[in-house]
Amino acid sequence: MQSNSVKVLSRMMEGLCTACMALGAAVIVSLPWTLRWYLRYYYGHSAPGRQYAFMLGLLYLSGICAFIILGYGRRILRDIVNGNPFTFSTARRIRAIAGWCAPIGLGYLLGTLALPSVFVVLVGLAFSFAAVLVLILSELFRQAAGYKQENDLTI
């Protein structure tokens, strides 16, 4: 049995995921214009076509993957609210999150070829590390779901 505060917190996080998905969708759709505006504002001119196109591609990759990750996170939070987090479907969702973190990490690490920056390297390393860590966490949830299933069958 879980506490009421965990349910409330999970519902709040689920709502935050939904809000972030809505905001993220707006950012993804407006990305060509907002990136151009940002580059003009920050640098005083727009970036060269090739660099702009590369940045746009990298940001689209990040945005789309993050949008999908939030969707999986929302479903995991729904399982927590329903009081059933240790299921094989939760383990698969966590594994899918790891799979969607990997392209972001790889994209940013490859992005250092066109955008040499410490920030680009750090984001690439962070998401690569997160992909491996979340993959391990998914295995933990898979094993917990197996133990729970076995325990539920015990009389």
Side-chain angles (χ1 to χ4, degrees):
M1 194 118 228
Q2 68 184 12
S3 69
N4 223 13
S5 61
V6 170
K7 282 186 178 185
V8 170
L9 187 59
S10 295
R11 282 191 184 116
M12 287 174 48
M13 290 301 295
E14 189 179 0
L16 183 61
C17 281
T18 303
C20 286
M21 287 177 77
L23 181 62
V27 169
I28 289 170
V29 168
S30 69
L31 197 52
W33 302 282
T34 54
L35 180 60
R36 219 178 278 283
W37 172 84
Y38 170 76
L39 292 173
R40 278 194 199 116
Y41 175 79
Y42 192 74
Y43 293 110
H45 60 81
S46 63
R50 184 172 175 225
Q51 187 180 17
Y52 169 79
F54 191 82
M55 289 173 77
L56 190 62
L58 197 55
L59 290 172
Y60 269 128
L61 171 71
S62 304
I64 292 168
C65 290
F67 188 84
I68 294 168
I69 289 168
L70 284 170
Y72 281 115
R74 242 180 52 188
R75 286 184 231 132
I76 292 168
L77 288 166
R78 174 59 36 198
D79 289 343
I80 293 170
V81 168
N82 292 335
N84 200 16
F86 296 108
T87 63
F88 290 109
S89 63
T90 300
R92 281 191 300 274
R93 289 176 183 138
I94 294 172
R95 187 178 188 92
I97 289 172
W100 286 104
C101 284
I104 297 173
L106 184 62
Y108 275 83
L109 289 176
L110 291 175
T112 59
L113 301 173
L115 299 168
S117 164
V118 172
F119 173 75
V120 175
V121 172
L122 290 177
V123 171
L125 290 174
F127 273 93
S128 297
F129 181 77
V132 173
L133 188 64
V134 173
L135 187 64
I136 292 168
L137 187 64
S138 76
E139 179 58 22
L140 178 70
F141 266 76
R142 190 192 66 72
Q143 287 182 18
Y147 293 143
K148 182 182 177 297
Q149 185 180 46
E150 197 176 293
N151 189 38
D152 290 346
L153 295 175
T154 305
I155 297 175

